[in-house]
Amino acid sequence: MSPSVTEFYGETRDGRDGVYRFEYGDDVEEGVLLDCKRLKAQEFRCGWKDRWGSGQLDLKFSADFNAFTGVWSDESNPPSLGLRWHGARR
């Protein structure tokens, strides 16, 4: 697992709802979060896109929105086979 930073804007900026950055080798890669929709009080679904592909991200935030857990998937893996994505406010 690569250390990463996920930033949610709270409103769409230049067609983006957020960004994520992670270390890959000696570089820092960046991807975008798109078209985030609220499903329930603390549950959201976003699209993600980076140079390796695109897919879906399902998130569930804590009651105070200071942390989240989620599952991401891409074109080759359905959400049921997705990988974990989680974070906490710093």
Side-chain angles (χ1 to χ4, degrees):
M1 177 168 42
S2 299
S4 63
V5 173
T6 304
E7 180 180 353
F8 299 97
Y9 296 153
E11 61 182 46
T12 303
R13 297 183 196 165
D14 298 323
R16 302 173 175 192
D17 292 311
V19 295
Y20 56 95
R21 295 174 192 88
F22 58 95
E23 296 175 8
Y24 186 77
D26 293 332
D27 299 320
V28 175
E29 298 288 335
E30 182 173 285
V32 296
L33 299 174
L34 308 161
D35 198 29
C36 293
K37 303 282 190 241
R38 183 177 286 220
L39 304 176
K40 294 183 181 175
Q42 274 88 13
E43 294 181 24
F44 291 79
R45 176 170 289 154
C46 300
W48 63 267
K49 184 175 182 181
D50 59 33
R51 73 177 179 129
W52 287 281
S54 61
Q56 180 176 299
L57 171 61
D58 291 326
L59 299 163
K60 184 172 185 177
F61 284 86
S62 61
D64 60 5
F65 282 88
N66 283 328
F68 68 88
T69 59
V71 175
W72 66 273
S73 58
D74 61 18
E75 300 92 357
S76 62
N77 294 303
S80 61
L81 298 176
L83 299 170
R84 300 187 76 188
W85 188 328
H86 55 87
R89 187 181 303 253
R90 286 184 157 191

